[in-house]
Amino acid sequence: MTKTEMDSYSESGAAASAGIEHKGQPFDDDLENASHTPQVGQGLQRNLKARHLTMISLGGTIGTGLFLASGVSINVAGPGYSLIAYGLIGTMVYCFMSSLGEMATYLPITGSINAYGTRFFDPALGFMLGWVYWFSWSVTLATELVAAGLIISYWIPVESCPGWVWAMVFIVILTSLNLTTVKAYGETEYWLSLIKVLAVLVFIIIGFLYIGGAVGTRIEGAPKPGPEVFNMGPFHGGFIGLFSIFLNAGFSFQGAELVGIAAGETKNPRKNVPRAIRQVFWRILLFYVLTILIIGMTIPYNDESLSNQGGEIKSSPFTRVFIQAGITVGGDIMNAVILVAVLSAGNSGLYASSRALHTLSKEGNAPKFLGYVNRWGVPVYCVLATSLIGCLAFIVSLPQIGQGEAYNWLLSLASTTGFIAWLGIAFSHIRFRMAYKAQGRALSDLPFISNLYPFGPIYTIVVCVVILIGQGYTAFSPFDLKSFLSAYVTLPFVFLLYFGNKFWAKTKILKLVDVDLDTGRSFIDTAVPVMDSESEKNMKKPSVVKRVMANVF
């Protein structure tokens, strides 16, 4: 067997199934900045640094779901129900991220969501999850491109330049970025995410100053910002309103799992992945709960600007709060930031979906040519194929659909498939732990242990199933075909993918004792130095301020 053949994909290994070449990759922190010269046929490369992974885990979840859909949620269900919905989804996200962290540190592979389903349960599950996850992020890419056209319309009316033109411009930019090295993707995402994080922090500060009366002017006769505005209709719409905003909340958090997807291209994943996972709770609290609270205390739930009817980007609640606080240029500033958020989310979406498609190809579940990786470690054909799906955004050029309607449909599709992917992560974790125990392995040997098991994955599964089944029940009273299809059109395809592949490929559910927990781990055990207790004890601990900042950022 030649060296090229030895380095190529082997169906028996998860590391090979992800198309990752581990040989010669630096994992020690002292070697993290070592130069690396990529070779042709080397496969995906571990070129993402700790700071890249940190911002990917944070920036991937801050997009139009937070900047736009949060206002719609408050308008539909009120700030009280919105806090409940975002809080419920946030706790679920933390649970499945803890599950993903345990698996990703033990077996860090790119395209891990479908790879774990294949490895720990049934190849048919991996087949279904892989295609669902790819479709989810491909549709998310289209959603963000539609949103980009809406944002540009704030400055340039649609009559002057239709939305599909801007969608084409941005998809060319994002495709070009993803056709460069993964390090270029990480660096781009780092700076775009940093801008979003700073914008949200400034929004929170300005919001509290406005509520406290330090900035802005009060309109005579209008409700006073704070509890008075919040209590105007905190639980508007009843349980119908609550269920109807779960998809918005879910879409806002979509992208949190990018840590697991990027683990296969991250340096020293055993150290950097747990670090990113532990920060999720504080980010959820800071960037979602506080944001919803501020919007609910500054803008009445029945304010027409929150409804986003017709896709008016001017009604972004972030923009409205800045203007009410007396910052006259707030509209231009926040819309520019939202445009950055769209590009960042689209950038992450193209990256995640292309890696999922690459893994599918390496597992034999997608055309073989999609497994090609150029000398810089980029799955070129996967990126191009995903970009074609992103061209769904061009449907905004159809007058009978319109930009706002297209955005709502794409958001619903992306949210539903996202919940299915999260459900798959939780189920894979249960199977991983069961197999780990059945094979007599010690839990203390895991690099990262999820303390929420078994509650965490079970809670995630229950929440996802309830939302997937119940989120469209408003379509039945009275029956509305458009709402029904928007809520449930993806579910039949999920069953078709799983059972169709199971019948076609004649796959079988793996016995726990037969689950492969070793292939692909040898490079970690030999590359990551183990620190003895004495050395660890003598290590200088960072200051309290640095530890707090590390947990948040």
Side-chain angles (χ1 to χ4, degrees):
M1 182 179 289
T2 64
K3 183 180 184 301
T4 302
E5 291 172 333
M6 292 175 65
D7 288 342
S8 66
Y9 166 70
S10 169
E11 291 185 354
S12 63
S17 73
I20 302 170
E21 171 63 59
H22 305 299
K23 192 173 182 179
Q25 293 293 326
F27 281 84
D28 193 333
D29 281 353
D30 295 335
L31 300 177
E32 186 162 319
N33 296 316
S35 62
H36 171 63
T37 304
Q39 302 296 328
V40 177
Q42 189 169 4
L44 302 180
Q45 301 165 9
R46 296 185 181 275
N47 286 330
L48 292 178
K49 298 181 180 180
R51 64 185 181 89
H52 294 149
L53 192 65
T54 297
M55 278 300 176
I56 287 172
S57 66
L58 174 59
T61 61
I62 300 179
T64 55
L66 179 63
F67 287 117
L68 296 181
S70 57
V72 178
S73 297
I74 292 176
N75 177 258
V76 171
Y81 274 143
S82 295
L83 280 175
I84 292 175
Y86 278 77
L88 182 66
I89 300 298
T91 55
M92 184 199 70
V93 167
Y94 182 68
C95 287
F96 84 72
M97 285 296 291
S98 180
S99 296
L100 182 60
E102 183 173 294
M103 295 185 291
T105 50
Y106 183 82
L107 195 65
I109 52 179
T110 300
S112 56
I113 290 179
N114 44 309
Y116 292 152
T118 298
R119 174 77 78 95
F120 302 143
F121 181 66
D122 183 354
L125 179 64
F127 176 86
M128 181 272 287
L129 287 176
W131 282 109
V132 166
Y133 193 70
W134 172 74
F135 180 74
S136 174
W137 271 109
S138 299
V139 172
T140 298
L141 172 63
T143 306
E144 302 299 343
L145 291 173
V146 172
L150 297 175
I151 294 166
I152 296 296
S153 67
Y154 180 78
W155 296 290
I156 303 176
V158 178
E159 295 76 14
S160 302
C161 188
W164 67 266
V165 174
W166 297 112
M168 183 171 64
V169 170
F170 289 126
I171 200 171
V172 169
I173 294 174
L174 295 178
T175 302
S176 300
L177 285 173
N178 276 268
L179 287 176
T180 56
T181 63
V182 68
K183 186 176 181 180
Y185 156 76
E187 200 66 34
T188 303
E189 188 60 26
Y190 175 84
W191 290 107
L192 291 179
S193 296
L194 184 60
I195 293 174
K196 292 189 292 183
V197 169
L198 293 177
V200 174
L201 288 176
V202 171
F203 169 79
I204 292 173
I205 294 172
I206 295 297
F208 278 123
L209 289 176
Y210 175 64
I211 293 171
V215 297
T217 56
R218 300 289 184 266
I219 301 176
E220 187 176 350
K224 183 180 179 181
E228 186 177 339
V229 172
F230 188 92
N231 291 326
M232 289 180 64
F235 303 106
H236 173 66
F239 284 105
I240 294 179
L242 177 62
F243 265 98
S244 64
I245 66 172
F246 273 123
L247 284 186
N248 284 347
F251 183 73
S252 298
F253 284 99
Q254 191 166 337
E257 75 288 343
L258 283 173
V259 175
I261 296 296
E265 295 176 85
T266 301
K267 295 179 179 179
N268 200 351
R270 177 176 287 183
K271 174 183 177 182
N272 294 329
V273 171
R275 177 189 296 169
I277 297 294
R278 293 188 185 103
Q279 297 165 354
V280 169
F281 174 78
W282 300 107
R283 292 169 185 168
I284 291 172
L285 178 66
L286 180 63
F287 294 107
Y288 288 92
V289 176
L290 286 182
T291 294
I292 294 296
L293 181 63
I294 289 174
I295 296 173
M297 296 178 73
T298 54
I299 307 176
Y301 80 93
N302 56 359
D303 193 303
E304 292 183 359
S305 67
L306 293 180
S307 65
N308 260 344
Q309 292 181 354
E312 279 292 329
I313 195 67
K314 296 178 183 179
S315 58
S316 166
F318 283 71
T319 302
R320 179 66 181 274
V321 171
F322 268 72
I323 294 176
Q324 289 183 181
I327 303 177
T328 55
V329 294
D332 291 311
I333 293 175
M334 283 312 303
N335 278 281
V337 170
I338 295 171
L339 181 59
V340 169
V342 166
L343 292 176
S344 173
N347 191 36
S348 296
L350 189 51
Y351 168 80
S353 52
S354 63
R355 268 51 181 184
L357 188 58
H358 177 263
T359 301
L360 283 169
S361 176
K362 287 301 183 179
E363 291 177 340
N365 293 324
K368 188 176 181 179
F369 75 92
L370 293 173
Y372 168 75
V373 175
N374 67 10
R375 63 181 306 217
W376 302 112
V378 178
V380 178
Y381 298 129
C382 293
V383 172
L384 295 177
T386 304
S387 296
L388 288 177
I389 301 299
C391 291
L392 284 172
F394 296 160
I395 63 177
V396 301
S397 62
L398 300 176
Q400 61 268 34
I401 296 179
Q403 287 179 301
E405 189 70 20
Y407 177 80
N408 292 331
W409 267 82
L410 292 173
L411 184 147
S412 179
L413 287 174
S415 301
T416 303
T417 50
F419 277 112
I420 294 170
W422 292 345
L423 194 154
I425 292 173
F427 181 74
S428 296
H429 184 217
I430 292 176
R431 285 284 301 184
F432 168 73
R433 274 291 191 98
M434 292 173 66
Y436 200 83
K437 181 179 179 180
Q439 296 181 19
R441 299 171 184 251
L443 196 63
S444 57
D445 292 338
L446 289 173
F448 173 79
I449 300 175
S450 173
N451 295 323
L452 297 176
Y453 185 89
F455 169 79
I458 294 175
Y459 174 69
T460 300
I461 291 173
V462 171
V463 171
C464 286
V465 169
V466 169
I467 291 175
L468 287 172
I469 295 176
Q471 47 89 17
Y473 84 96
T474 54
F476 296 96
S477 56
F479 182 77
D480 182 71
L481 180 61
K482 184 184 294 186
S483 299
F484 177 81
L485 291 176
S486 177
Y488 298 114
V489 69
T490 57
L491 297 184
F493 289 100
V494 170
F495 291 99
L496 182 63
L497 285 171
Y498 177 75
F499 289 105
N501 181 259
K502 194 167 186 62
F503 174 78
W504 181 265
K506 295 180 173 57
T507 64
K508 295 182 179 180
I509 297 176
L510 300 173
K511 295 180 180 179
L512 295 176
V513 293
D514 294 333
V515 171
D516 184 3
L517 298 175
D518 296 311
T519 306
R521 280 192 44 78
S522 59
F523 79 96
I524 300 179
D525 296 330
T526 58
V528 180
V530 179
M531 184 178 296
D532 58 44
S533 58
E534 189 63 30
S535 300
E536 189 172 0
K537 187 192 228 176
N538 293 330
M539 281 185 64
K540 183 180 178 181
K541 291 185 178 180
S543 64
V544 174
V545 174
K546 287 185 177 180
R547 290 202 299 271
V548 171
M549 294 299 291
N551 280 328
V552 176
F553 301 105

